[in-house]
Amino acid sequence: MAVLGRLAVLAGLIAAGFVFSTAARAECGGDVQCIAVGATAAEASTNHHGGGSGTVTLDFGSVPVGTTSAAMTIFVAAVTRTDGAMAVLGQITVNPAVDFQITGGTCSTTNGPRHPSSTTAGDIGTPCTITVAFNPQTAGVKTATVDVPLNPPCAGCITGRTATVTGTGGPPVRIEPPRDPKVVGLIHAQAQTAKRFSRAQIVNFQRRMESLHRDGGGGEAVAERSTGRAGSAPAASGLLPTAFASTLVSAATTGTASLSYGSDRTAGWSGGAGGTGIWIGGNISFGTRDATDDASALRFSTDGVSVGIDRRFSERLVVGLGLGYALDRTAIGTDGTRSRSSGSSIALYGSYQPTRNTFLDGLIGYGALRHDSDRFVAAANDFARAHRRSDQLFGSLAAGYEHRAPGLLLSPYGRLDFARDRFDEATESGAGGNALTYFEQKLSALQLSLGLRAESQHETNFGWMLPRLRVELKHDFDGDRAATVAFADQVASGPFFSVTPGGVKRDALLVGVGGDFVFRQGLKLGVDYQVLRSSGTEHSQAIRVWLSKELDGKSLTAGLASAAGGYGTPVRVEAGVTRDDNVNRARDAADKRSDYLYSLGVTKGIALPVTSQTRVLVTGFANADKLRSIRGLDRVSAGAQGEFQYRASGEFAAPIFGLFGRASLEEYHSGLRSGYRTSLGLTARQAWTDRIHAFGSLAGNWRHARSDVFDARDYAARFNLDYALGQTGALYLGGEYRRGDTVSSAPAALVYTGGAKAFVADDAYGASLFNAYRYEAKTVLWTLGYNRSLGPSDSLDLSWRQAQSTPTSQSGTGGSSRYTANQVSVVYLILF
């Protein structure tokens, strides 16, 4: 009877749909939802059938305070009911959610354990996962519970499972501040920001004071030079920008922009006292600091604006009062560490001329600054944030001599700039035990500059153009820059650390070119480009633009005179900016790098008659190119070209044939590209009508560099048509076909390596990790431009250029590495 009774019970269970294995549990299977958790998928499945407790404990061990452990995984499994349904999970939580966090996994309210391939009641589905990490906020043993509920809960069934997580918060692992590149970089960044703030204001006020100098006698206008118009015959006559006709790739980096509006005094020395002027000037600067062994790389931009009012008390003395405001953003490394600063200042300035040709300019100012920093701490996977204030006292004293001749100014000068900064104490928040306290810090900066400013005057259609050149040698005498820091939780007892970033007593060379456009209505627009190269690791460039307006109605052109001289064998200077949408000549849009190129070129040519029908043209040239972002393509070059020309007669339509040779040296910031180029070819020129001029050439070009990849040669055929528009300028169209070597820089890919003659890791693109590839290709270039004449010696050139290059043999499997590149250029040309 006992045996029969047991069989009857078993039959009843089977009829009810309960299926179990060797160690079946009555609450699992049939119409009952059932889940279990485990440290492994197998353990979670076993726990369904009574092989385990149904819960799990994960021990993370000891983890330093303020750091995050590697994630551990909880597996959740379920069985199938008789109707084929699986368990549905509710919201998974961890309690308390202080030291432990759910970081991911496949379990969710819509994605629970997977249904097994079988729909047999009791079969086990594929477990889903929950990942948990331990981030102890304080020391000691920490415990929490991970709740895995069912949704909805069911009567008479297991409502959910729990997993216990535990770990011990150990002593924090911390890098000593002097050995942490982010800390060193941040301290350096804030010190340099304070210095840039003061010098930005000094530059704005000094520029204002230079405009207040009365000339030493006025000078009278002389007969203007009238032989030739810059830009009236673009390519065929050699007056197009040479920097853009020789290459598609050049260089430029960071810049500065400045805007000023004010009252400029240009009356003669005997103008007397009286007169009040107001002005506003701005400064936007960009720069970089290379990484060093103890500090991360920096990239900064600083915006500054100044506004002032000044009063002329005598023909010798002007005194003014000004206000300033500045913003700075500095990125430190690549992980989000940064510093953001703002500040305001007030300054008293004055300009005094002891004699007609000497000047003494000075200013004294005070500024208040605020610095907000975010420092990423990898060990804590968090940012340490601080708010710090500083104030500064700054000043400048300049003295110099101005030699003036009709249309010319030459001014040697010396200037001493100083600043004293005091940073308040500040403590970081966040990042656990890695937070730092920065104690009060005092800095001093002293800089001596010896400079030369040269300026000439050219009458134009719109008024006057005043080109100028500025060269300064700078020497920094930095004071004690050490900062004292401590970990925030040890600020009372220490240890204390001293951090002294960067070097001191640094030399630098500043070269600037630019000019003022003086309109006859009294409006003045100024543009300058400056490059600062130092013996340290910081580099900066600047583009300064300002606008001024005479408030008392007097013309700014009074007393201006064209510089004496002629244009028989002029020196041509061209300065321009180009936007290139594919600097590295890559195929795919994701690999292309675009940038702005700033260029300056100087060309001087002479003609040497040989016979009545032949002559030799000898031309020397020098160019400097800088990219705004890609420093590796910064370039300086210089060379010469000789051309033997023959003309059968003096008839208007008689063509001119030539044989030329050209050679140039090139020095790139990228060492692989440095070397020299040579060209040899034939030319032909002809005037088709009094307005249309044609030019053509056939040439072979050879390039020799330090890397085989940039050792290249090609053969080219080129034509150019110029259409003169009379006094307004000329339109031109150019085309060129090249067959030979070309170079592309892009990530490693079979599409490039398959057809490349040679390739090498490119050192020009920094973190992009590009390779440079040389391969055989045919390249077609088109140029369309307009050259606007602005006077007898000035013109403005606007052009668009496109290059399409297609490999002539491609063995890669990824298709052709054909690329397209476009350039848009604006160039100003001046003949001296």
Side-chain angles (χ1 to χ4, degrees):
M1 291 295 294
V3 174
L4 291 176
R6 292 176 181 174
L7 289 175
V9 172
L10 178 59
L13 291 174
I14 293 175
F18 287 88
V19 180
F20 52 88
S21 63
T22 307
R25 306 187 72 183
E27 71 272 18
C28 292
D31 293 327
V32 179
Q33 299 185 68
C34 182
I35 62 172
V37 295
T40 65
E43 181 180 340
S45 300
T46 301
N47 285 345
H48 275 293
H49 295 275
S53 65
T55 61
V56 66
T57 298
L58 301 182
D59 190 350
F60 286 86
S62 180
V63 175
V65 171
T67 63
T68 302
S69 71
M72 298 185 73
T73 303
I74 301 170
F75 293 85
V76 182
V79 298
T80 307
R81 298 192 318 190
T82 54
D83 58 3
M86 295 289 293
V88 178
L89 301 184
Q91 185 67 42
I92 302 169
T93 59
V94 59
N95 297 294
V98 177
D99 301 293
F100 298 90
Q101 297 86 37
I102 296 174
T103 59
T106 61
C107 293
S108 69
T109 57
T110 58
N111 184 26
R114 290 186 180 179
H115 197 290
S117 57
S118 170
T119 59
T120 303
D123 282 357
I124 302 171
T126 302
C128 63
T129 60
I130 305 169
T131 57
V132 184
F134 180 36
N135 179 18
Q137 302 302 301
T138 58
V141 177
K142 312 294 179 182
T143 302
T145 300
V146 179
D147 296 318
V148 189
L150 289 175
N151 185 29
C154 58
C157 63
I158 298 174
T159 59
R161 297 289 191 182
T162 61
T164 301
V165 287
T166 186
T168 302
V173 176
R174 302 188 284 206
I175 302 175
E176 291 185 354
R179 295 187 295 177
D180 188 336
K182 303 296 174 52
V183 175
V184 178
L186 188 59
I187 292 174
H188 175 86
Q190 293 185 350
Q192 291 301 305
T193 294
K195 183 185 294 185
R196 287 195 297 271
F197 275 20
S198 61
R199 290 181 180 172
Q201 299 303 324
I202 288 172
V203 168
N204 288 341
F205 286 105
Q206 286 288 353
R207 175 68 184 92
R208 171 59 179 169
M209 287 185 284
E210 284 181 352
S211 73
L212 294 173
H213 298 165
R214 298 282 179 95
D215 67 42
E220 301 201 358
V222 298
E224 71 176 44
R225 299 166 293 184
S226 59
T227 57
R229 282 184 176 271
S232 60
S237 61
L239 289 177
L240 279 184
T242 58
F244 306 108
S246 61
T247 180
L248 279 173
V249 181
S250 296
T253 115
T254 57
T256 282
S258 161
L259 176 68
S260 92
Y261 173 86
S263 169
D264 287 81
R265 301 294 173 184
T266 55
W269 172 258
S270 59
T276 299
I278 61 172
W279 59 276
I280 181 172
N283 190 313
I284 305 174
S285 61
F286 303 86
T288 61
R289 176 183 185 270
D290 297 336
T292 62
D293 292 338
D294 62 350
S296 299
L298 307 180
R299 188 172 187 85
F300 66 84
S301 64
T302 303
D303 307 342
V305 63
S306 305
V307 61
I309 182 169
D310 44 57
R311 172 77 177 176
R312 180 170 292 277
F313 290 93
S314 71
E315 61 184 11
R316 298 174 182 267
L317 178 65
V318 180
V319 177
L321 181 68
L323 302 175
Y325 182 76
L327 295 171
D328 179 270
R329 297 163 297 278
T330 302
I332 303 162
T334 58
D335 61 5
T337 300
R338 60 181 180 173
S339 174
R340 303 172 306 282
S341 304
S342 61
S344 56
S345 61
I346 185 171
L348 178 68
Y349 63 94
S351 178
Y352 178 71
Q353 290 184 258
T355 69
R356 292 185 173 184
N357 297 99
T358 60
F359 64 87
L360 185 66
D361 296 337
L363 71 96
I364 187 75
Y366 170 81
L369 289 69
R370 176 187 172 91
H371 311 271
D372 297 321
S373 62
D374 299 327
R375 180 174 62 90
F376 183 73
V377 181
N381 194 29
D382 193 10
F383 283 92
R385 295 179 169 85
H387 307 284
R388 197 176 191 188
R389 295 186 178 276
S390 69
D391 53 26
Q392 63 181 193
L393 180 69
F394 62 89
S396 177
L397 184 64
Y401 177 83
E402 293 184 336
H403 170 72
R404 296 182 182 269
L408 296 173
L409 167 70
L410 192 65
S411 176
Y413 61 88
R415 191 176 73 244
L416 192 65
D417 303 332
F418 76 90
R420 295 185 62 86
D421 296 273
R422 184 185 62 83
F423 287 80
D424 293 342
E425 181 178 315
T427 299
E428 293 176 329
S429 61
N434 292 276
L436 298 174
T437 292
Y438 302 87
F439 294 96
E440 182 181 288
Q441 179 186 8
K442 294 182 179 180
L443 305 175
S444 62
L446 185 65
Q447 184 182 75
L448 175 64
S449 300
L450 299 177
L452 178 67
R453 179 168 63 101
E455 186 177 284
S456 67
Q457 300 170 5
H458 300 260
E459 188 170 10
T460 65
N461 299 335
F462 58 80
W464 292 83
M465 169 61 183
L466 282 62
R468 63 173 156 268
L469 171 70
R470 186 189 300 269
V471 179
E472 283 186 7
L473 292 174
K474 297 175 177 289
H475 185 77
D476 280 337
F477 305 89
D478 286 2
D480 183 10
R481 302 171 59 199
T484 301
V485 298
F487 289 106
D489 58 359
Q490 298 176 340
V491 72
S493 59
F496 304 100
F497 304 93
S498 180
V499 180
T500 307
V504 297
K505 299 182 179 178
R506 199 174 52 197
D507 296 312
L509 172 66
L510 181 144
V511 178
V513 294
D516 291 337
F517 300 86
V518 183
F519 298 92
R520 300 187 189 280
Q521 297 83 1
L523 187 70
K524 179 190 288 187
L525 172 67
V527 180
D528 278 283
Y529 175 68
Q530 295 180 348
V531 179
L532 180 67
R533 298 302 300 267
S534 70
S535 58
T537 57
E538 289 192 19
H539 309 276
S540 64
Q541 291 77 40
I543 296 178
R544 303 185 184 281
V545 180
W546 61 89
L547 190 66
S548 63
K549 183 72 169 71
E550 187 70 26
L551 298 182
D552 57 9
K554 295 181 180 179
S555 172
L556 291 176
T557 62
L560 294 180
S562 292
Y567 293 112
T569 56
V571 175
R572 183 182 63 197
V573 177
E574 57 186 58
V577 58
T578 298
R579 168 69 175 178
D580 193 319
D581 68 356
N582 188 8
V583 174
N584 56 315
R585 307 305 182 241
R587 181 191 70 165
D588 299 326
D591 298 331
K592 294 180 180 180
R593 298 293 181 268
S594 61
D595 210 340
Y596 287 92
L597 158 70
Y598 306 105
S599 63
L600 175 68
V602 179
T603 304
K604 170 69 174 178
I606 58 174
L608 304 174
V610 179
T611 69
S612 60
Q613 295 176 306
T614 61
R615 68 176 182 174
V616 174
L617 294 181
V618 179
T619 304
F621 55 88
N623 297 293
D625 307 306
K626 294 198 69 69
L627 284 149
R628 178 172 178 174
S629 302
I630 307 172
R631 287 184 53 209
L633 297 182
D634 293 354
R635 181 187 68 165
V636 292
S637 62
Q641 175 174 307
E643 182 176 2
F644 178 80
Q645 294 183 340
Y646 169 78
R647 189 174 188 181
S649 70
E651 295 292 331
F652 175 78
I656 301 174
F657 299 100
L659 171 65
F660 77 90
R662 180 184 179 96
S664 63
L665 295 174
E666 296 182 324
E667 185 67 29
Y668 282 86
H669 192 272
S670 161
L672 298 176
R673 291 169 167 80
S674 297
Y676 64 95
R677 295 177 187 257
T678 56
S679 298
L680 184 65
L682 302 172
T683 63
R685 297 172 173 85
Q686 186 177 26
W688 290 354
T689 70
D690 60 344
R691 289 181 177 270
I692 301 177
H693 297 258
F695 168 83
S697 69
L698 297 173
N701 307 296
W702 296 267
R703 181 179 179 182
H704 306 270
R706 295 175 186 170
S707 168
D708 290 343
V709 174
F710 298 98
D711 280 340
R713 67 177 181 178
D714 66 72
Y715 300 95
R718 176 187 169 207
F719 80 91
N720 198 91
L721 294 176
D722 300 341
Y723 181 77
L725 301 174
Q727 298 296 318
T728 60
L731 292 172
Y732 59 92
L733 171 68
E736 185 173 355
Y737 175 82
R738 296 180 186 173
R739 184 67 179 257
D741 295 325
T742 190
V743 176
S744 292
S745 295
L750 189 58
V751 65
Y752 295 107
T753 58
K757 293 181 178 180
F759 62 91
V760 68
D762 199 334
D763 60 349
Y765 294 92
S768 294
L769 300 179
F770 283 174
N771 287 337
Y773 304 90
R774 174 169 60 89
Y775 50 89
E776 186 83 13
K778 55 183 179 181
T779 304
V780 178
L781 303 97
W782 294 98
T783 303
L784 179 64
Y786 172 61
N787 193 269
R788 170 70 179 181
S789 177
L790 300 177
S793 60
D794 298 75
S795 72
L796 183 67
D797 192 271
L798 308 174
S799 67
W800 165 76
R801 198 179 197 203
Q802 183 183 78
Q804 294 182 341
S805 184
T806 304
T808 55
S809 63
Q810 194 83 32
S811 59
T813 61
S816 172
S817 56
R818 180 179 184 271
Y819 70 75
T820 300
N822 294 276
Q823 291 181 329
V824 178
S825 303
V826 180
V827 184
Y828 196 92
L829 300 99
I830 306 175
L831 297 180
F832 289 91

